[in-house]
Amino acid sequence: MSSLIQGKFSKWETVIGLEIHAQIKSNSKLFSSSSTKFGSSPNSQVSLFDAAMPGMLPVINEFCIKQAVKTGLGLKAKINRYSVFDRKNYFYADLPQGYQISQYKHPIIGEGAVTIDFKDGSSKDIRIVRLHLEQDAGKSLHDQNPSKTYVDLNRSGVALMEIVSEPDLNSSHEASLYITKIRSILMYLDTCDGNMQEGSLRTDVNISVRKPGEELGTRCEIKNLNSIKFIKQAIEYEAMRQIKIIEEGGIIEQNTLLFNPQLGKTKPMRSKEEAHDYRYFPDPDLLPLKLEDDFIEIIKKDIPELPDERKKRYINEYKLSNYDSSVLTIEKSISDYFDKVLGCHQDLKKSAKLVVNWITSELFAILKKNEVEIHNSPITPYNLGQLVKLIISNKISGKIAKDVFEDMYKNSLSPEEIVNSRGLAQVTNVKEIELIIDQILKLNYDKVNDYKAGKTKLLGFFVGQAMQISKGKANPKILNDILIKKLS
Amino acid sequence: MKIDKNTTLKIAKLCRIKVRDEEIEELSSQLSSILDWVEKLNEVNTDNIEPLNNVSIATLPLRKDKENLQDQSKEVLSNAPEKLENYFAVPKVVE
Amino acid sequence: MEFNTITESLEKINSNKISIVELNDIFINRIKKNKNLNAFIYFDEENISQQIKKIQSSKKNFKLKGIPLAIKDLFCTKNMPTTAGSKILQNFQPSYESHVSQKLLDQGSIFLGKANCDEFAMGSATNTSYYGNTINPISPRGSQLVPGGSSGGSAAAVAANLCLGATGTDTGGSIRQPASFCGVVGIKPTYGLCSRWGIIAFASSLDQAGVFANNIADTAILLREIAGHDNKDSTSANREIPNYFENLNQDMSGKVVGVPKEYILPDIPEDISKIWEQAIKSLERGGVKVKNISLPHTKYALPAYYIIAPAEASSNLARYDGVRYGFRSEEGTSLDEMYELTRSEGFGKEVKRRVLIGTYVLSAGYYEAYYMKAQKVRRLISNDFNEAFNECDFILTPTAPSPAFPIGEKEDDPIKMYLNDIFTVPASLAGIPGISIPFGKSQNGLPLGIQLLSKHFDEQLVLNAGLYLEKNNV
């Protein structure tokens, strides 16, 4: 798949690396026991440590370490047995200590990789450089008061994992696939809630452009993007901006940018004008973190089946396509639903593709229309499984099934209940169908003659008539067979 | 003098300390002489020596993930030079 | 009655020969009579009487029942403001009690007030405090000598009998050097023995709480009460704390004392060399074997310290930004301007100098050459001690290169001031325990101190050796 961008004079390649800041799912903060709950009243989840009161000291949360290791294992990355917490020094209103505790030279997780899948069935590996633990900052509110900035420290000190990729991404599409995949893995692992609206996953984009095969260009960093849509828009805008500058003979200045979603444009951050010098050094309040093999082994046992493994299972066991499998597995909730449907009955495994179709067309459509999440679907996986079973065992036709499906959604009933109460079961009794056919052949005597004279296209007409009388319940194959026999 | 006025101003900016014009000269020369003095360390051969960051014998203690749900905002805000609506307030920041 | 030791006072209180109120009144009156020493930043009689009432109404079996203490103003205290000797923390009222001071309160001691100190513990003369100099109580008539620093208020308060003991903190000598200048006992324990939680940080990898008292026995009693593991401090050591007082034993026969040749400096005053020699002789008479040892990297300790400590301080002091507590300049209109003015007006000269140096040595391009280099030298210094302790049980040196000097001296030259810590800094870098005990006098009759160093967590040995020298003083 070519991802080159056509400039005025030549084609350009975009080179993108992402830094994803994922909020760790934990009850308490990284170095204090304040709650991590979202949306509480201002400064209500702030300990003396979080507010950087004099003499307060950090004590690390074991669960956050486990979550980071678990994520590292999920990203098939190197787990570093020795890591160090450093101070990253800078001043900002929502950074109470005047430094952020982070990991610089010795991160807890080293190199790893994730695979992204394209629609055409191809895939690409994106290399991960590292994952490190760090504290989140508080929140500055600039529009509450005309002359003041307000500071809320509730988020200050919440644990983040910063996941840094190599610049292996070459388009906004790839970037969005990559983030979706990372989000998916984190949610399978239950190490991050993946809630982008609440800021649980924020991305810094490093982006440069070059002519294919040439040296890397100067990169710019777009800070703090919190939706996939904005990430795509920002990359597309920024790539074109850089191409335009270079094609017009200018040079790219290394810069930190902000994306304005209203305008769809990037612009340099004003507060970052002066160069930063973070003066990293090992935090003397904390000792190096040493992980024992046992500690890692126990976490390993806790790793669930991840999207790529599930995908493989779907391809191997159910003979699904690569694309279908990745559509199912990217959202854990969809994949879980699918697995539950198949778990209903042994027979469904042979008809997995039919189940996929029902999920990705009918179910997605009706859920979307009603704005319902799949895990809250009124149609339970069991009932959907039963419905598909009715179809494959010829109890109802596909057409009737759609009708039953609507009813299942509206009334949360099982398909059997609906089929029985509404008498929708397919008629497979040959005698019964013969009776219907005899009836329509008698009524349309002239058309029977036409058919016999060679107008075989009329077969469809007879099928339609018979179906109408059977209220769609006649088994189409049996109906067809009898009709042809009687007409010949 | 290794710390010239510009360097002094640059460092002062980094650590957010305002240095008045009349202080710069003396400060720069004091900083320079302190640095000259500590550079005595260059006499020491430190090849293959690991830096010693901490002399504690402890191993990093790990805390259980228990949350404290107590609202400490009153305590936390009690010493604030300026607070408004339960927020700390600072001069307006333009991003 | 004199009442200048804890052991004696505890005995009188526990046998009801004196009440807590009566005992404390003696010290309150002395403090009032000695206001000119400026040993306290905070002193409030009403506050003291509240504390006494609380202790009197309790049935608990306190180990320091009613004992009047002074608390260095670097320890955060719930019922008294805490300033660290700085304008930037003027009127700061913590809502929490430091771990160490809480332990002392839990044993029924009475805090008479907050002792003056150098601003953020940065100094060797208690002359950088925003709240004025402390005067050494041993100053001869007509002169004003410094009490040493940074815990000068604590040392002076003990020396002038304004309290029976005091807490201090020692980062590079801030307990031992003022103890020497004021003629009292001061101990800096092993790094990690006492919790740093609630103590205003100067240089986190070096800061350690300790105590001052009038003799070894009292020091041993207080040390036991402040020592111990704290799960709020990640560098705190989880170890059994011995009963230092009950274990005191002045029989030193068979022990080996190391005398490091690198501590023999050409420009050291003769009277200091003399008392050093006398201390060695005294120990020898007690059956101690004397061994000449070498700590080859000693002369690099001060330069390494003056990189490491300011570097950590520059980061530790970043939180004083006028946002959440303390002083805020009224002038700034932008956030950055507010920061710069607040910190410029709120910090004193020495603090600013060290923050600037610390910022410089950590900044891009200089980190390796300064900070990293200093940390490597720190390892070499630590190794020196490890090797020395293969040959000897403890080490004996002078505490400071001079007796107390007049207020105002060395103020114009930061490096001259830094040299005060030349004998105390190496042990700080290695994290080993050190004690200063009064031993002999200078030509002018000023107190001098002898420093005893031992292995990590071997506080008992320096206390025992200290007790021997206390009983066998010249």
Side-chain angles (χ1 to χ4, degrees):
Chain A
M1 189 192 289
S2 168
S3 52
L4 299 184
I5 298 176
Q6 182 63 56
K8 220 173 187 175
F9 306 115
S10 58
K11 284 185 189 296
W12 295 85
E13 183 184 44
T14 320
V15 179
I16 304 159
L18 298 184
E19 292 166 17
I20 298 177
H21 303 260
Q23 189 179 312
I24 291 180
K25 211 168 157 181
S26 64
N27 295 321
S28 63
K29 295 181 179 179
L30 183 54
F31 294 111
S32 82
S33 48
S34 307
S35 169
T36 58
K37 279 204 184 65
F38 179 80
S40 304
S41 61
N43 292 306
S44 63
Q45 289 168 188
V46 183
S47 70
L48 297 168
F49 171 78
D50 304 326
M53 288 292 169
M56 294 300 98
L57 298 171
V59 183
I60 198 164
N61 184 341
E62 180 181 33
F63 186 65
C64 294
I65 296 171
K66 287 183 175 164
Q67 292 285 64
V69 170
K70 199 173 171 191
T71 306
L73 293 168
L75 297 174
K76 304 194 169 36
K78 192 175 158 238
I79 312 299
N80 291 326
R81 298 302 196 271
Y82 175 91
S83 67
V84 174
F85 293 94
D86 296 285
R87 292 185 183 178
K88 178 181 181 179
N89 296 283
Y90 66 96
F91 284 86
Y92 199 65
D94 54 26
L95 187 76
Q97 295 166 123
Y99 56 84
Q100 177 193 34
I101 305 178
S102 181
Q103 296 189 298
Y104 184 52
K105 276 195 194 145
H106 303 281
I108 185 165
I109 309 292
E111 303 85 353
V114 298
T115 309
I116 55 174
D117 293 301
F118 301 101
K119 217 165 190 167
D120 65 1
S122 63
S123 60
K124 179 175 177 181
D125 279 352
I126 309 300
R127 290 168 300 158
I128 308 260
V129 183
R130 58 187 278 161
L131 176 155
H132 66 253
L133 282 164
E134 63 183 26
Q135 298 173 294
D136 207 344
K139 246 188 193 143
S140 296
L141 296 97
H142 305 299
D143 41 18
Q144 306 280 102
N145 181 306
S147 62
K148 300 285 170 189
T149 285
Y150 284 5
V151 181
D152 175 12
L153 299 178
N154 277 349
R155 213 181 56 193
S156 162
V158 168
L160 296 179
M161 299 180 276
E162 181 173 329
I163 304 167
V164 183
S165 84
E166 291 282 2
D168 287 350
L169 299 158
N170 296 110
S171 68
S172 62
H173 180 60
E174 288 185 12
S176 79
L177 289 177
Y178 169 76
I179 294 169
T180 308
K181 189 60 175 283
I182 292 278
R183 178 171 175 269
S184 166
I185 294 170
L186 299 181
M187 289 174 76
Y188 271 75
L189 292 165
D190 205 27
T191 57
C192 172
D193 68 17
N195 192 331
M196 297 185 82
Q197 270 161 1
E198 290 178 5
S200 300
L201 215 62
R202 307 191 295 273
T203 304
D204 298 342
V205 176
N206 284 296
I207 172 170
S208 63
V209 296
R210 66 172 169 191
K211 288 183 187 160
E214 286 188 355
E215 292 272 293
L216 284 174
T218 305
R219 66 188 165 90
C220 287
E221 185 181 12
I222 314 167
K223 279 269 178 205
N224 222 8
L225 295 157
N226 64 358
S227 92
I228 292 177
K229 196 174 114 194
F230 294 160
I231 291 166
K232 288 179 81 168
Q233 287 175 358
I235 289 174
E236 281 155 21
Y237 174 85
E238 178 60 19
M240 281 315 295
R241 184 187 76 88
Q242 293 186 11
I243 291 168
K244 195 161 172 263
I245 289 173
I246 301 170
E247 289 199 332
E248 283 169 4
I251 48 164
I252 305 298
E253 263 179 72
Q254 188 161 350
N255 225 333
T256 306
L257 311 168
L258 282 179
F259 179 67
N260 182 329
Q262 275 92 45
L263 303 175
K265 288 179 176 176
T266 58
K267 64 157 198 207
M269 254 175 112
R270 218 189 288 188
S271 54
K272 303 264 171 173
E273 265 166 16
E274 40 131 355
H276 270 299
D277 186 341
Y278 291 124
R279 291 159 284 137
Y280 285 99
F281 75 105
D283 190 334
D285 288 332
L286 292 160
L287 303 166
L289 172 63
K290 291 170 188 161
L291 299 178
E292 304 288 338
D293 288 345
D294 292 359
F295 184 87
I296 298 165
E297 284 309 312
I298 290 167
I299 299 169
K300 240 180 217 167
K301 291 200 184 95
D302 207 25
I303 301 279
E305 187 187 33
L306 293 174
D308 282 349
E309 293 155 30
R310 271 202 194 178
K311 206 178 79 186
K312 254 180 228 150
R313 178 161 63 83
Y314 291 173
I315 293 169
N316 293 337
E317 287 182 22
Y318 308 144
K319 312 293 172 220
L320 293 178
S321 71
N322 188 50
Y323 184 71
D324 275 345
S325 305
S326 63
V327 168
L328 284 178
T329 50
I330 202 76
E331 283 274 356
K332 182 168 184 287
S333 51
I334 297 170
S335 176
D336 285 347
Y337 189 97
F338 173 75
D339 278 343
K340 280 186 200 147
V341 175
L342 288 206
C344 288
H345 200 278
Q346 197 56 36
D347 293 350
L348 291 171
K349 292 192 175 139
K350 282 172 241 149
S351 307
K353 173 66 185 165
L354 187 59
V355 174
V356 174
N357 290 346
W358 273 92
I359 291 175
T360 56
S361 55
E362 303 303 321
L363 185 64
F364 279 7
I366 204 162
L367 291 175
K368 196 174 174 194
K369 202 175 99 193
N370 293 286
E371 291 177 355
V372 172
E373 299 283 337
I374 193 162
H375 54 266
N376 294 324
S377 167
I379 298 179
T380 62
Y382 182 80
N383 282 344
L384 186 67
Q386 293 305 312
L387 182 70
V388 176
K389 229 189 107 207
L390 291 174
I391 300 167
I392 58 178
S393 59
N394 288 325
K395 294 272 165 49
I396 55 172
S397 68
K399 208 167 159 209
I400 294 273
K402 283 184 189 170
D403 187 23
V404 173
F405 183 85
E406 297 270 342
D407 212 357
M408 286 165 72
Y409 190 91
K410 256 182 249 158
N411 303 312
S412 299
L413 293 169
S414 76
E416 291 95 331
E417 283 176 288
I418 296 167
V419 168
N420 290 336
S421 69
R422 289 175 50 194
L424 296 173
Q426 202 166 107
V427 179
T428 48
N429 186 311
V430 177
K431 285 250 166 68
E432 229 175 289
I433 296 173
E434 267 182 345
L435 277 175
I436 295 170
I437 290 174
D438 288 347
Q439 205 184 332
I440 60 136
L441 292 183
K442 214 179 269 175
L443 277 170
N444 298 288
Y445 186 73
D446 48 340
K447 291 213 168 74
V448 174
N449 283 337
D450 289 351
Y451 179 90
K452 285 183 175 165
K455 260 190 140 178
T456 50
K457 271 190 185 162
L458 279 167
L459 185 67
F461 167 79
F462 297 122
V463 172
Q465 290 293 303
M467 271 297 181
Q468 211 169 12
I469 289 175
S470 78
K471 292 186 183 115
K473 293 184 292 183
N475 178 293
K477 188 163 182 303
I478 300 173
L479 180 77
N480 236 27
D481 291 351
I482 298 173
L483 249 179
I484 290 167
K485 215 166 79 189
K486 295 231 172 195
L487 284 169
S488 62
Chain B
M1 184 141 93
K2 67 157 42 71
I3 302 273
D4 57 23
K5 289 186 200 171
N6 281 338
T7 312
T8 301
L9 288 173
K10 211 185 99 195
I11 313 166
K13 181 85 201 163
L14 262 182
C15 61
R16 300 294 187 276
I17 289 175
K18 180 114 201 143
V19 178
R20 280 175 288 122
D21 290 345
E22 60 269 30
E23 295 173 308
I24 302 176
E25 190 120 9
E26 194 195 353
L27 194 56
S28 302
S29 94
Q30 280 175 341
L31 297 180
S32 295
S33 44
I34 294 170
L35 285 172
D36 282 341
W37 174 64
V38 298
E39 273 168 24
K40 197 179 180 171
L41 294 189
N42 292 335
E43 297 167 11
V44 188
N45 180 355
T46 51
D47 295 350
N48 304 317
I49 303 293
E50 276 297 303
L52 180 59
N53 294 317
N54 210 300
V55 292
S56 169
I57 56 141
T59 48
L60 184 70
L62 310 179
R63 195 186 87 241
K64 293 280 170 240
D65 184 30
K66 267 211 262 171
E67 62 187 324
N68 173 14
L69 291 165
Q70 231 182 343
D71 181 350
Q72 293 191 81
S73 56
K74 219 178 142 190
E75 224 179 307
V76 158
L77 287 156
S78 65
N79 279 290
E82 192 178 9
K83 53 181 177 249
L84 293 163
E85 304 165 57
N86 249 29
Y87 291 100
F88 297 100
V90 297
K92 187 130 187 132
V93 178
V94 188
E95 275 202 329
Chain C
M1 257 188 271
E2 253 304 298
F3 286 107
N4 53 17
T5 70
I6 293 174
T7 43
E8 178 199 14
S9 303
L10 274 178
E11 195 261 310
K12 295 264 157 57
I13 288 226
N14 289 330
S15 57
N16 291 321
K17 283 185 187 127
I18 190 169
S19 74
I20 299 175
V21 175
E22 286 164 343
L23 177 71
N24 279 275
D25 272 347
I26 297 172
F27 292 92
I28 289 167
N29 287 329
R30 284 188 196 145
I31 291 173
K32 289 202 280 198
K33 268 189 220 142
N34 289 281
K35 283 253 161 179
N36 65 311
L37 295 179
N38 197 30
F40 287 91
I41 292 177
Y42 176 87
F43 167 73
D44 177 55
E45 283 183 73
E46 180 49 35
N47 186 307
I48 298 167
S49 80
Q50 291 297 329
Q51 293 180 56
I52 292 174
K53 273 184 201 141
K54 229 171 115 191
I55 298 304
Q56 280 172 328
S57 65
S58 171
K59 295 241 160 24
K60 225 188 124 193
N61 200 9
F62 296 115
K63 288 193 190 129
L64 295 172
K65 191 173 180 181
I67 298 300
L69 301 175
I71 304 299
K72 186 180 184 181
D73 207 20
L74 216 61
F75 292 79
C76 289
T77 44
K78 208 172 176 169
N79 296 313
M80 297 178 184
T82 302
T83 70
S86 182
K87 180 183 175 185
I88 212 158
L89 279 176
Q90 202 170 14
N91 303 322
F92 173 61
Q93 178 53 64
S95 62
Y96 49 95
E97 186 76 35
S98 84
H99 186 82
V100 159
S101 55
Q102 184 63 53
K103 284 178 79 118
L104 291 170
L105 287 175
D106 289 345
Q107 290 308 329
S109 64
I110 305 297
F111 293 173
L112 297 179
K114 300 300 285 291
N116 199 5
C117 60
D118 279 304
E119 187 180 6
F120 286 101
M122 295 179 193
S124 305
T126 313
N127 63 340
T128 70
S129 169
Y130 177 70
Y131 306 92
N133 284 35
T134 292
I135 295 163
N136 193 329
I138 54 93
S139 305
R141 199 174 279 277
S143 74
Q144 290 194 333
L145 304 182
V146 302
S150 67
S151 314
S154 300
V158 172
N161 271 320
L162 311 184
C163 58
L164 286 172
T167 65
T169 63
D170 188 316
T171 304
S174 280
I175 289 176
R176 290 160 286 163
Q177 183 255 18
S180 166
F181 277 21
C182 295
V184 296
V185 178
I187 187 164
K188 176 205 94 80
T190 308
Y191 183 84
L193 186 79
C194 305
S195 168
R196 293 184 293 114
W197 192 89
I199 300 173
I200 293 177
F202 160 17
S204 311
S205 78
L206 296 154
D207 294 344
Q208 187 53 209
V211 289
F212 294 92
N214 278 313
N215 59 35
I216 290 285
D218 286 2
T219 306
I221 290 172
L222 290 176
L223 180 63
R224 180 167 191 217
E225 297 316 322
I226 66 163
H229 180 244
D230 175 14
N231 56 19
K232 302 187 296 309
D233 175 357
S234 295
T235 59
S236 163
N238 198 349
R239 292 176 65 97
E240 190 81 32
I241 303 302
N243 190 328
Y244 302 115
F245 174 69
E246 276 179 16
N247 295 348
L248 280 177
N249 177 3
Q250 58 170 307
D251 177 9
M252 296 301 291
S253 57
K255 298 281 181 211
V256 180
V257 62
V259 179
K261 64 171 190 229
E262 290 78 10
Y263 283 59
I264 303 165
L265 300 179
D267 42 7
I268 194 170
E270 206 181 304
D271 37 10
I272 288 180
S273 314
K274 210 173 102 195
I275 64 114
W276 190 12
E277 247 164 64
Q278 284 170 337
I280 296 166
K281 291 235 169 71
S282 174
L283 285 167
E284 241 177 344
R285 283 194 296 274
V288 174
K289 211 179 141 217
V290 179
K291 180 129 197 186
N292 290 317
I293 58 161
S294 172
L295 297 165
H297 298 93
T298 298
K299 68 171 166 175
Y300 302 111
L302 263 187
Y305 175 86
Y306 275 95
I307 291 171
I308 295 165
E312 291 182 13
S314 71
S315 176
N316 282 334
L317 269 56
R319 65 188 58 201
Y320 305 102
D321 59 5
V323 177
R324 295 163 314 285
Y325 43 76
F327 168 78
R328 178 194 285 192
S329 169
E330 300 295 324
E331 304 295 317
T333 53
S334 73
L335 179 66
D336 270 341
E337 225 183 330
M338 186 278 277
Y339 283 154
E340 289 181 6
L341 292 169
T342 294
R343 291 164 62 78
S344 178
E345 294 163 28
F347 289 143
K349 268 189 172 179
E350 179 62 20
V351 169
K352 284 192 255 189
R353 248 190 320 258
R354 294 203 199 183
V355 168
L356 286 164
I357 285 285
T359 304
Y360 182 82
V361 299
L362 287 176
S363 65
Y366 300 101
Y367 178 87
E368 307 276 329
Y370 290 97
Y371 185 74
M372 191 80 125
K373 181 83 183 178
Q375 295 285 44
K376 288 179 176 176
V377 172
R378 184 177 187 181
R379 164 122 13 226
L380 293 172
I381 288 162
S382 171
N383 290 348
D384 283 356
F385 280 110
N386 289 340
E387 277 164 39
F389 286 125
N390 287 330
E391 297 179 62
C392 64
D393 299 305
F394 66 100
I395 294 169
L396 182 80
T397 78
T399 306
S402 77
F405 49 84
I407 288 175
E409 213 176 278
K410 309 185 189 195
E411 274 183 20
D412 50 343
D413 185 352
I415 296 172
K416 232 182 226 165
M417 193 61 103
Y418 298 168
L419 289 169
N420 268 296
D421 296 331
I422 194 157
F423 296 142
T424 48
V425 151
S428 295
L429 290 170
I432 58 172
I435 194 169
S436 175
I437 62 153
F439 196 84
K441 291 271 185 285
S442 75
Q443 290 164 348
N444 303 325
L446 297 175
L448 293 172
I450 261 305
Q451 178 180 235
L452 297 153
L453 307 172
S454 63
K455 283 180 223 169
H456 285 95
F457 300 105
D458 205 356
E459 279 76 9
Q460 190 70 55
L461 182 59
V462 289
L463 286 166
N464 287 350
L467 183 66
Y468 174 87
L469 288 175
E470 189 175 274
K471 304 285 180 203
N472 297 278
N473 204 334
V474 280

